[in-house]
Amino acid sequence: MARFAEKNSIGNSLTTLIPFAVVSAAIFFNFALCFVNTNILSITSLSVILAELLIISFAFLASLRFLNQTYLVLIMVTIGYTLTLSLIRLNVSPERGFDIKIVRDFLIPIAFFMLGLTIKNLRHVDVAVKWISTVTLSFAAFEYFYLTTFLKYFDVLKYYLARGTIAGSDSAHALLVAGGLYFSGIRPEAQGRALFPFLGDHRVSSIFLEPISLGYFGIIIVLWGLVRSRIDAKIHFFPLVAGLLCIVLSDSRFGAGVIIVASIVAFMPAPMSQIGVLVIPLFLVFGLLLLPEFFNLSTDLGLGGRLSYSSRVLTNFDAWNWLGFKASRLQTFDSGYAYVFSGIGIVGFVAFWVIFLSIKGRSIYFNVFRNLCAAYFAIALCIGEGQLTIKTASLLWFMMGALAITWVPAPQKESARLARHKRAVFPLSGAHQPLPVDGY
């Protein structure tokens, strides 16, 4: 009997450690490759692609027992649809080459949501959040206080040159502007730091190598802290403080704005917030399209300049761009909606958004977290597509899967409200029997 209990304990440890190892690999692999490229041997863009494919494959393998017919169809449709549009764009805009990145971007949600379904206890996710946040903040402090030493071991500019993100012709400018960090690693003197200016113009990137990704990570950690605070009816200080520190260190003005919105949405009734996040992309896209009519477009590198650029890209779209049949004439790195529309078409985006918001979990708290994430995605798409990358999206979708499969008793008032608004359960997560918050 004791031997059986020991084997069972080992099995439970493995089922917890494997998913966390996969998520950690998704978050840290770019940082590890940067170290390898700086100190051991040169990497290439193929190294990065293969690493991402390997991690996504492991995510699917680790959650294989949840791979039912619904998920299989969803995976095949996602791959088939995105590849078909990529091939059409290759034929219409051959100068842009074959776009495989968009396929990866929409496989990540499925892979890591399924991986989250393997978690038996939300407290396990709390432990992972603490560990990842502690490592992130430790390297953030290292970068902030010992920047020269940090760059000696993690040459960020050299890494992005090796993987092809920064062209060789731009390297001299990047070195001049950011001193070896990513382009946005130093605030321009004319612009200055927005959050706690006494910290200086250095925007910390830590393990994410880009300040915007550290800001996105901070947002995700705060969102988790908000929903866990609601679940336990007590404040979870660690994720809230750690997330805010990441936002401040990266000087993410956008992140600070999202946190304000999220704090309001988190304590709204879930059905009410769901209606809001369902239509928010429509209002934001129309706002971007109408921006030139009512405001003088800024050309600076701040938030106004990025919104102006996003507006300019969208207003230059023709029908083929909106349908995803032709690549954008302008680069879409700083225009998330343009990136998504030109990648999967407006039809594909609407389908993704409706499916996303129709996923059902086993408690009202899943709906709260899903709506918070939807608000974050919708707002972030105004200024870029970095929130779709594996180094931050993997953790968010993993958290969402863990919340989807965990049953948490809701207060009586919220339970009654949820029952009145109950709809057909989407088969991605709602077909299982309820589970207690502490596990199966």
PDB file of all heavy atoms in Angstrom, residues 185-218:
ATOM      1  N   GLY A 185      14.825  49.634 -25.705  1.00  0.00           N
ATOM      2  CA  GLY A 185      15.397  49.460 -24.378  1.00  0.00           C
ATOM      3  C   GLY A 185      15.759  50.753 -23.674  1.00  0.00           C
ATOM      4  O   GLY A 185      15.955  50.762 -22.458  1.00  0.00           O
ATOM      5  N   ILE A 186      15.849  51.854 -24.425  1.00  0.00           N
ATOM      6  CA  ILE A 186      16.152  53.164 -23.841  1.00  0.00           C
ATOM      7  C   ILE A 186      15.107  54.164 -24.346  1.00  0.00           C
ATOM      8  O   ILE A 186      14.865  54.266 -25.549  1.00  0.00           O
ATOM      9  CB  ILE A 186      17.557  53.662 -24.244  1.00  0.00           C
ATOM     10  CG1 ILE A 186      18.622  52.678 -23.776  1.00  0.00           C
ATOM     11  CG2 ILE A 186      17.805  55.056 -23.689  1.00  0.00           C
ATOM     12  CD1 ILE A 186      18.808  52.616 -22.279  1.00  0.00           C
ATOM     13  N   ARG A 187      14.472  54.868 -23.412  1.00  0.00           N
ATOM     14  CA  ARG A 187      13.539  55.912 -23.818  1.00  0.00           C
ATOM     15  C   ARG A 187      14.309  57.074 -24.452  1.00  0.00           C
ATOM     16  O   ARG A 187      15.358  57.475 -23.928  1.00  0.00           O
ATOM     17  CB  ARG A 187      12.787  56.441 -22.607  1.00  0.00           C
ATOM     18  CG  ARG A 187      11.674  55.553 -22.107  1.00  0.00           C
ATOM     19  CD  ARG A 187      10.438  55.710 -22.912  1.00  0.00           C
ATOM     20  NE  ARG A 187       9.323  54.956 -22.358  1.00  0.00           N
ATOM     21  CZ  ARG A 187       8.361  54.432 -23.077  1.00  0.00           C
ATOM     22  NH1 ARG A 187       8.367  54.576 -24.396  1.00  0.00           N
ATOM     23  NH2 ARG A 187       7.384  53.772 -22.515  1.00  0.00           N
ATOM     24  N   PRO A 188      13.829  57.603 -25.581  1.00  0.00           N
ATOM     25  CA  PRO A 188      14.470  58.786 -26.159  1.00  0.00           C
ATOM     26  C   PRO A 188      14.477  59.925 -25.139  1.00  0.00           C
ATOM     27  O   PRO A 188      13.537  60.088 -24.362  1.00  0.00           O
ATOM     28  CB  PRO A 188      13.576  59.127 -27.358  1.00  0.00           C
ATOM     29  CG  PRO A 188      12.873  57.850 -27.694  1.00  0.00           C
ATOM     30  CD  PRO A 188      12.698  57.129 -26.402  1.00  0.00           C
ATOM     31  N   GLU A 189      15.543  60.705 -25.142  1.00  0.00           N
ATOM     32  CA  GLU A 189      15.698  61.776 -24.150  1.00  0.00           C
ATOM     33  C   GLU A 189      14.545  62.757 -24.201  1.00  0.00           C
ATOM     34  O   GLU A 189      14.071  63.240 -23.162  1.00  0.00           O
ATOM     35  CB  GLU A 189      17.023  62.508 -24.400  1.00  0.00           C
ATOM     36  CG  GLU A 189      17.380  63.515 -23.319  1.00  0.00           C
ATOM     37  CD  GLU A 189      18.732  64.151 -23.550  1.00  0.00           C
ATOM     38  OE1 GLU A 189      19.497  63.620 -24.381  1.00  0.00           O
ATOM     39  OE2 GLU A 189      19.005  65.171 -22.910  1.00  0.00           O
ATOM     40  N   ALA A 190      14.055  63.042 -25.416  1.00  0.00           N
ATOM     41  CA  ALA A 190      12.957  64.001 -25.561  1.00  0.00           C
ATOM     42  C   ALA A 190      11.656  63.463 -24.971  1.00  0.00           C
ATOM     43  O   ALA A 190      10.770  64.235 -24.582  1.00  0.00           O
ATOM     44  CB  ALA A 190      12.752  64.327 -27.041  1.00  0.00           C
ATOM     45  N   GLN A 191      11.541  62.154 -24.913  1.00  0.00           N
ATOM     46  CA  GLN A 191      10.306  61.526 -24.432  1.00  0.00           C
ATOM     47  C   GLN A 191      10.368  61.271 -22.940  1.00  0.00           C
ATOM     48  O   GLN A 191       9.470  61.629 -22.195  1.00  0.00           O
ATOM     49  CB  GLN A 191      10.090  60.207 -25.199  1.00  0.00           C
ATOM     50  CG  GLN A 191       8.731  59.581 -25.005  1.00  0.00           C
ATOM     51  CD  GLN A 191       8.636  58.289 -25.792  1.00  0.00           C
ATOM     52  OE1 GLN A 191       8.640  57.213 -25.218  1.00  0.00           O
ATOM     53  NE2 GLN A 191       8.577  58.396 -27.107  1.00  0.00           N
ATOM     54  N   GLY A 192      11.435  60.641 -22.499  1.00  0.00           N
ATOM     55  CA  GLY A 192      11.626  60.392 -21.069  1.00  0.00           C
ATOM     56  C   GLY A 192      10.746  59.285 -20.532  1.00  0.00           C
ATOM     57  O   GLY A 192       9.755  58.882 -21.147  1.00  0.00           O
ATOM     58  N   ARG A 193      11.139  58.779 -19.380  1.00  0.00           N
ATOM     59  CA  ARG A 193      10.373  57.725 -18.705  1.00  0.00           C
ATOM     60  C   ARG A 193       9.064  58.305 -18.176  1.00  0.00           C
ATOM     61  O   ARG A 193       9.038  59.407 -17.620  1.00  0.00           O
ATOM     62  CB  ARG A 193      11.206  57.135 -17.562  1.00  0.00           C
ATOM     63  CG  ARG A 193      10.467  56.164 -16.665  1.00  0.00           C
ATOM     64  CD  ARG A 193      11.354  55.615 -15.592  1.00  0.00           C
ATOM     65  NE  ARG A 193      12.200  54.535 -16.075  1.00  0.00           N
ATOM     66  CZ  ARG A 193      11.853  53.260 -16.054  1.00  0.00           C
ATOM     67  NH1 ARG A 193      10.664  52.905 -15.580  1.00  0.00           N
ATOM     68  NH2 ARG A 193      12.674  52.339 -16.491  1.00  0.00           N
ATOM     69  N   ALA A 194       7.987  57.517 -18.318  1.00  0.00           N
ATOM     70  CA  ALA A 194       6.674  57.963 -17.862  1.00  0.00           C
ATOM     71  C   ALA A 194       6.389  57.513 -16.431  1.00  0.00           C
ATOM     72  O   ALA A 194       5.793  58.255 -15.655  1.00  0.00           O
ATOM     73  CB  ALA A 194       5.598  57.434 -18.798  1.00  0.00           C
ATOM     74  N   LEU A 195       6.788  56.287 -16.087  1.00  0.00           N
ATOM     75  CA  LEU A 195       6.511  55.738 -14.764  1.00  0.00           C
ATOM     76  C   LEU A 195       7.749  55.879 -13.881  1.00  0.00           C
ATOM     77  O   LEU A 195       8.797  55.308 -14.182  1.00  0.00           O
ATOM     78  CB  LEU A 195       6.112  54.260 -14.875  1.00  0.00           C
ATOM     79  CG  LEU A 195       4.935  53.941 -15.812  1.00  0.00           C
ATOM     80  CD1 LEU A 195       4.703  52.439 -15.878  1.00  0.00           C
ATOM     81  CD2 LEU A 195       3.672  54.655 -15.342  1.00  0.00           C
ATOM     82  N   PHE A 196       7.620  56.675 -12.822  1.00  0.00           N
ATOM     83  CA  PHE A 196       8.735  56.917 -11.900  1.00  0.00           C
ATOM     84  C   PHE A 196       9.984  57.399 -12.657  1.00  0.00           C
ATOM     85  O   PHE A 196      10.976  56.675 -12.784  1.00  0.00           O
ATOM     86  CB  PHE A 196       9.057  55.654 -11.094  1.00  0.00           C
ATOM     87  CG  PHE A 196       7.915  55.179 -10.234  1.00  0.00           C
ATOM     88  CD1 PHE A 196       7.017  54.236 -10.683  1.00  0.00           C
ATOM     89  CD2 PHE A 196       7.747  55.715  -8.962  1.00  0.00           C
ATOM     90  CE1 PHE A 196       5.948  53.822  -9.897  1.00  0.00           C
ATOM     91  CE2 PHE A 196       6.692  55.290  -8.159  1.00  0.00           C
ATOM     92  CZ  PHE A 196       5.779  54.344  -8.623  1.00  0.00           C
ATOM     93  N   PRO A 197       9.951  58.633 -13.155  1.00  0.00           N
ATOM     94  CA  PRO A 197      11.049  59.163 -13.976  1.00  0.00           C
ATOM     95  C   PRO A 197      12.423  59.095 -13.316  1.00  0.00           C
ATOM     96  O   PRO A 197      13.443  59.044 -14.016  1.00  0.00           O
ATOM     97  CB  PRO A 197      10.630  60.624 -14.200  1.00  0.00           C
ATOM     98  CG  PRO A 197       9.142  60.625 -14.061  1.00  0.00           C
ATOM     99  CD  PRO A 197       8.836  59.591 -13.029  1.00  0.00           C
ATOM    100  N   PHE A 198      12.470  59.086 -11.972  1.00  0.00           N
ATOM    101  CA  PHE A 198      13.767  59.054 -11.292  1.00  0.00           C
ATOM    102  C   PHE A 198      14.539  57.762 -11.568  1.00  0.00           C
ATOM    103  O   PHE A 198      15.742  57.677 -11.313  1.00  0.00           O
ATOM    104  CB  PHE A 198      13.590  59.230  -9.781  1.00  0.00           C
ATOM    105  CG  PHE A 198      12.845  58.116  -9.102  1.00  0.00           C
ATOM    106  CD1 PHE A 198      13.509  56.977  -8.664  1.00  0.00           C
ATOM    107  CD2 PHE A 198      11.465  58.206  -8.897  1.00  0.00           C
ATOM    108  CE1 PHE A 198      12.824  55.946  -8.033  1.00  0.00           C
ATOM    109  CE2 PHE A 198      10.780  57.183  -8.270  1.00  0.00           C
ATOM    110  CZ  PHE A 198      11.460  56.046  -7.835  1.00  0.00           C
ATOM    111  N   LEU A 199      13.857  56.741 -12.137  1.00  0.00           N
ATOM    112  CA  LEU A 199      14.527  55.483 -12.466  1.00  0.00           C
ATOM    113  C   LEU A 199      15.390  55.596 -13.720  1.00  0.00           C
ATOM    114  O   LEU A 199      16.153  54.685 -14.037  1.00  0.00           O
ATOM    115  CB  LEU A 199      13.495  54.358 -12.655  1.00  0.00           C
ATOM    116  CG  LEU A 199      12.732  53.934 -11.391  1.00  0.00           C
ATOM    117  CD1 LEU A 199      11.644  52.930 -11.741  1.00  0.00           C
ATOM    118  CD2 LEU A 199      13.684  53.352 -10.361  1.00  0.00           C
ATOM    119  N   GLY A 200      15.273  56.695 -14.453  1.00  0.00           N
ATOM    120  CA  GLY A 200      16.100  56.893 -15.636  1.00  0.00           C
ATOM    121  C   GLY A 200      15.434  56.392 -16.908  1.00  0.00           C
ATOM    122  O   GLY A 200      14.312  55.866 -16.887  1.00  0.00           O
ATOM    123  N   ASP A 201      16.127  56.541 -18.029  1.00  0.00           N
ATOM    124  CA  ASP A 201      15.552  56.217 -19.339  1.00  0.00           C
ATOM    125  C   ASP A 201      15.696  54.740 -19.728  1.00  0.00           C
ATOM    126  O   ASP A 201      15.189  54.319 -20.767  1.00  0.00           O
ATOM    127  CB  ASP A 201      16.206  57.077 -20.429  1.00  0.00           C
ATOM    128  CG  ASP A 201      15.887  58.557 -20.259  1.00  0.00           C
ATOM    129  OD1 ASP A 201      14.811  58.858 -19.697  1.00  0.00           O
ATOM    130  OD2 ASP A 201      16.704  59.392 -20.670  1.00  0.00           O
ATOM    131  N   HIS A 202      16.407  53.978 -18.928  1.00  0.00           N
ATOM    132  CA  HIS A 202      16.590  52.555 -19.212  1.00  0.00           C
ATOM    133  C   HIS A 202      15.286  51.796 -18.947  1.00  0.00           C
ATOM    134  O   HIS A 202      14.767  51.785 -17.835  1.00  0.00           O
ATOM    135  CB  HIS A 202      17.721  51.998 -18.331  1.00  0.00           C
ATOM    136  CG  HIS A 202      17.930  50.523 -18.477  1.00  0.00           C
ATOM    137  ND1 HIS A 202      18.673  49.785 -17.562  1.00  0.00           N
ATOM    138  CD2 HIS A 202      17.506  49.625 -19.410  1.00  0.00           C
ATOM    139  CE1 HIS A 202      18.693  48.522 -17.925  1.00  0.00           C
ATOM    140  NE2 HIS A 202      17.987  48.408 -19.043  1.00  0.00           N
ATOM    141  N   ARG A 203      14.765  51.142 -19.989  1.00  0.00           N
ATOM    142  CA  ARG A 203      13.572  50.292 -19.858  1.00  0.00           C
ATOM    143  C   ARG A 203      14.045  48.843 -19.742  1.00  0.00           C
ATOM    144  O   ARG A 203      14.606  48.282 -20.679  1.00  0.00           O
ATOM    145  CB  ARG A 203      12.650  50.449 -21.060  1.00  0.00           C
ATOM    146  CG  ARG A 203      12.154  51.856 -21.298  1.00  0.00           C
ATOM    147  CD  ARG A 203      11.254  51.898 -22.517  1.00  0.00           C
ATOM    148  NE  ARG A 203      10.047  51.119 -22.297  1.00  0.00           N
ATOM    149  CZ  ARG A 203       9.253  50.688 -23.288  1.00  0.00           C
ATOM    150  NH1 ARG A 203       9.569  50.946 -24.548  1.00  0.00           N
ATOM    151  NH2 ARG A 203       8.169  49.993 -23.016  1.00  0.00           N
ATOM    152  N   VAL A 204      13.791  48.236 -18.610  1.00  0.00           N
ATOM    153  CA  VAL A 204      14.297  46.891 -18.335  1.00  0.00           C
ATOM    154  C   VAL A 204      13.526  45.847 -19.144  1.00  0.00           C
ATOM    155  O   VAL A 204      12.318  45.955 -19.339  1.00  0.00           O
ATOM    156  CB  VAL A 204      14.187  46.587 -16.823  1.00  0.00           C
ATOM    157  CG1 VAL A 204      14.657  45.165 -16.509  1.00  0.00           C
ATOM    158  CG2 VAL A 204      15.006  47.597 -16.025  1.00  0.00           C
ATOM    159  N   SER A 205      14.263  44.842 -19.641  1.00  0.00           N
ATOM    160  CA  SER A 205      13.671  43.756 -20.429  1.00  0.00           C
ATOM    161  C   SER A 205      13.747  42.414 -19.706  1.00  0.00           C
ATOM    162  O   SER A 205      12.943  41.526 -19.965  1.00  0.00           O
ATOM    163  CB  SER A 205      14.389  43.633 -21.777  1.00  0.00           C
ATOM    164  OG  SER A 205      14.381  44.847 -22.471  1.00  0.00           O
ATOM    165  N   SER A 206      14.773  42.237 -18.866  1.00  0.00           N
ATOM    166  CA  SER A 206      15.002  40.994 -18.119  1.00  0.00           C
ATOM    167  C   SER A 206      15.089  39.804 -19.069  1.00  0.00           C
ATOM    168  O   SER A 206      15.676  39.910 -20.147  1.00  0.00           O
ATOM    169  CB  SER A 206      13.911  40.799 -17.069  1.00  0.00           C
ATOM    170  OG  SER A 206      14.176  39.689 -16.247  1.00  0.00           O
ATOM    171  N   ILE A 207      14.469  38.679 -18.713  1.00  0.00           N
ATOM    172  CA  ILE A 207      14.580  37.448 -19.503  1.00  0.00           C
ATOM    173  C   ILE A 207      13.862  37.553 -20.838  1.00  0.00           C
ATOM    174  O   ILE A 207      14.072  36.716 -21.720  1.00  0.00           O
ATOM    175  CB  ILE A 207      14.022  36.236 -18.725  1.00  0.00           C
ATOM    176  CG1 ILE A 207      12.533  36.439 -18.437  1.00  0.00           C
ATOM    177  CG2 ILE A 207      14.799  36.020 -17.425  1.00  0.00           C
ATOM    178  CD1 ILE A 207      11.824  35.219 -17.931  1.00  0.00           C
ATOM    179  N   PHE A 208      13.009  38.569 -21.017  1.00  0.00           N
ATOM    180  CA  PHE A 208      12.201  38.677 -22.239  1.00  0.00           C
ATOM    181  C   PHE A 208      12.923  39.429 -23.355  1.00  0.00           C
ATOM    182  O   PHE A 208      12.448  39.434 -24.490  1.00  0.00           O
ATOM    183  CB  PHE A 208      10.867  39.348 -21.916  1.00  0.00           C
ATOM    184  CG  PHE A 208      10.011  38.549 -20.971  1.00  0.00           C
ATOM    185  CD1 PHE A 208       9.983  38.847 -19.627  1.00  0.00           C
ATOM    186  CD2 PHE A 208       9.265  37.481 -21.430  1.00  0.00           C
ATOM    187  CE1 PHE A 208       9.215  38.114 -18.747  1.00  0.00           C
ATOM    188  CE2 PHE A 208       8.488  36.729 -20.563  1.00  0.00           C
ATOM    189  CZ  PHE A 208       8.468  37.040 -19.215  1.00  0.00           C
ATOM    190  N   LEU A 209      14.027  40.101 -23.035  1.00  0.00           N
ATOM    191  CA  LEU A 209      14.901  40.775 -24.001  1.00  0.00           C
ATOM    192  C   LEU A 209      14.283  42.005 -24.644  1.00  0.00           C
ATOM    193  O   LEU A 209      14.976  42.769 -25.305  1.00  0.00           O
ATOM    194  CB  LEU A 209      15.366  39.797 -25.098  1.00  0.00           C
ATOM    195  CG  LEU A 209      16.016  38.494 -24.609  1.00  0.00           C
ATOM    196  CD1 LEU A 209      16.406  37.629 -25.804  1.00  0.00           C
ATOM    197  CD2 LEU A 209      17.229  38.766 -23.722  1.00  0.00           C
ATOM    198  N   GLU A 210      12.982  42.208 -24.463  1.00  0.00           N
ATOM    199  CA  GLU A 210      12.285  43.388 -24.974  1.00  0.00           C
ATOM    200  C   GLU A 210      11.438  43.951 -23.838  1.00  0.00           C
ATOM    201  O   GLU A 210      10.710  43.195 -23.187  1.00  0.00           O
ATOM    202  CB  GLU A 210      11.365  43.038 -26.140  1.00  0.00           C
ATOM    203  CG  GLU A 210      12.032  42.437 -27.350  1.00  0.00           C
ATOM    204  CD  GLU A 210      10.995  41.954 -28.355  1.00  0.00           C
ATOM    205  OE1 GLU A 210      10.288  42.816 -28.901  1.00  0.00           O
ATOM    206  OE2 GLU A 210      10.896  40.741 -28.564  1.00  0.00           O
ATOM    207  N   PRO A 211      11.471  45.253 -23.593  1.00  0.00           N
ATOM    208  CA  PRO A 211      10.677  45.823 -22.494  1.00  0.00           C
ATOM    209  C   PRO A 211       9.179  45.637 -22.659  1.00  0.00           C
ATOM    210  O   PRO A 211       8.463  45.456 -21.677  1.00  0.00           O
ATOM    211  CB  PRO A 211      11.071  47.303 -22.500  1.00  0.00           C
ATOM    212  CG  PRO A 211      11.730  47.545 -23.806  1.00  0.00           C
ATOM    213  CD  PRO A 211      12.319  46.252 -24.244  1.00  0.00           C
ATOM    214  N   ILE A 212       8.692  45.651 -23.910  1.00  0.00           N
ATOM    215  CA  ILE A 212       7.253  45.496 -24.099  1.00  0.00           C
ATOM    216  C   ILE A 212       6.777  44.119 -23.626  1.00  0.00           C
ATOM    217  O   ILE A 212       5.702  43.978 -23.053  1.00  0.00           O
ATOM    218  CB  ILE A 212       6.849  45.749 -25.572  1.00  0.00           C
ATOM    219  CG1 ILE A 212       5.330  45.836 -25.692  1.00  0.00           C
ATOM    220  CG2 ILE A 212       7.414  44.669 -26.505  1.00  0.00           C
ATOM    221  CD1 ILE A 212       4.843  46.329 -27.032  1.00  0.00           C
ATOM    222  N   SER A 213       7.609  43.092 -23.818  1.00  0.00           N
ATOM    223  CA  SER A 213       7.228  41.747 -23.376  1.00  0.00           C
ATOM    224  C   SER A 213       7.251  41.637 -21.853  1.00  0.00           C
ATOM    225  O   SER A 213       6.412  40.951 -21.265  1.00  0.00           O
ATOM    226  CB  SER A 213       8.173  40.702 -23.989  1.00  0.00           C
ATOM    227  OG  SER A 213       8.011  40.642 -25.390  1.00  0.00           O
ATOM    228  N   LEU A 214       8.211  42.305 -21.201  1.00  0.00           N
ATOM    229  CA  LEU A 214       8.206  42.325 -19.735  1.00  0.00           C
ATOM    230  C   LEU A 214       6.947  43.025 -19.232  1.00  0.00           C
ATOM    231  O   LEU A 214       6.347  42.598 -18.234  1.00  0.00           O
ATOM    232  CB  LEU A 214       9.455  43.034 -19.207  1.00  0.00           C
ATOM    233  CG  LEU A 214       9.567  43.119 -17.675  1.00  0.00           C
ATOM    234  CD1 LEU A 214       9.628  41.735 -17.051  1.00  0.00           C
ATOM    235  CD2 LEU A 214      10.786  43.937 -17.256  1.00  0.00           C
ATOM    236  N   GLY A 215       6.526  44.083 -19.921  1.00  0.00           N
ATOM    237  CA  GLY A 215       5.282  44.763 -19.559  1.00  0.00           C
ATOM    238  C   GLY A 215       4.077  43.849 -19.724  1.00  0.00           C
ATOM    239  O   GLY A 215       3.191  43.808 -18.860  1.00  0.00           O
ATOM    240  N   TYR A 216       4.029  43.096 -20.829  1.00  0.00           N
ATOM    241  CA  TYR A 216       2.934  42.147 -21.043  1.00  0.00           C
ATOM    242  C   TYR A 216       2.928  41.062 -19.965  1.00  0.00           C
ATOM    243  O   TYR A 216       1.872  40.662 -19.465  1.00  0.00           O
ATOM    244  CB  TYR A 216       3.051  41.497 -22.423  1.00  0.00           C
ATOM    245  CG  TYR A 216       2.705  42.410 -23.587  1.00  0.00           C
ATOM    246  CD1 TYR A 216       3.220  42.182 -24.859  1.00  0.00           C
ATOM    247  CD2 TYR A 216       1.863  43.492 -23.416  1.00  0.00           C
ATOM    248  CE1 TYR A 216       2.905  43.012 -25.930  1.00  0.00           C
ATOM    249  CE2 TYR A 216       1.539  44.325 -24.470  1.00  0.00           C
ATOM    250  CZ  TYR A 216       2.056  44.083 -25.733  1.00  0.00           C
ATOM    251  OH  TYR A 216       1.738  44.900 -26.780  1.00  0.00           O
ATOM    252  N   PHE A 217       4.120  40.570 -19.609  1.00  0.00           N
ATOM    253  CA  PHE A 217       4.221  39.579 -18.540  1.00  0.00           C
ATOM    254  C   PHE A 217       3.665  40.152 -17.234  1.00  0.00           C
ATOM    255  O   PHE A 217       2.921  39.481 -16.511  1.00  0.00           O
ATOM    256  CB  PHE A 217       5.678  39.162 -18.366  1.00  0.00           C
ATOM    257  CG  PHE A 217       5.922  38.252 -17.189  1.00  0.00           C
ATOM    258  CD1 PHE A 217       5.591  36.906 -17.244  1.00  0.00           C
ATOM    259  CD2 PHE A 217       6.491  38.751 -16.021  1.00  0.00           C
ATOM    260  CE1 PHE A 217       5.808  36.072 -16.157  1.00  0.00           C
ATOM    261  CE2 PHE A 217       6.714  37.923 -14.935  1.00  0.00           C
ATOM    262  CZ  PHE A 217       6.366  36.575 -15.007  1.00  0.00           C
ATOM    263  N   GLY A 218       4.004  41.401 -16.947  1.00  0.00           N
ATOM    264  CA  GLY A 218       3.489  42.048 -15.744  1.00  0.00           C
ATOM    265  C   GLY A 218       1.972  42.122 -15.749  1.00  0.00           C
ATOM    266  O   GLY A 218       1.325  41.876 -14.719  1.00  0.00           O
TER     267      GLY A 218
END
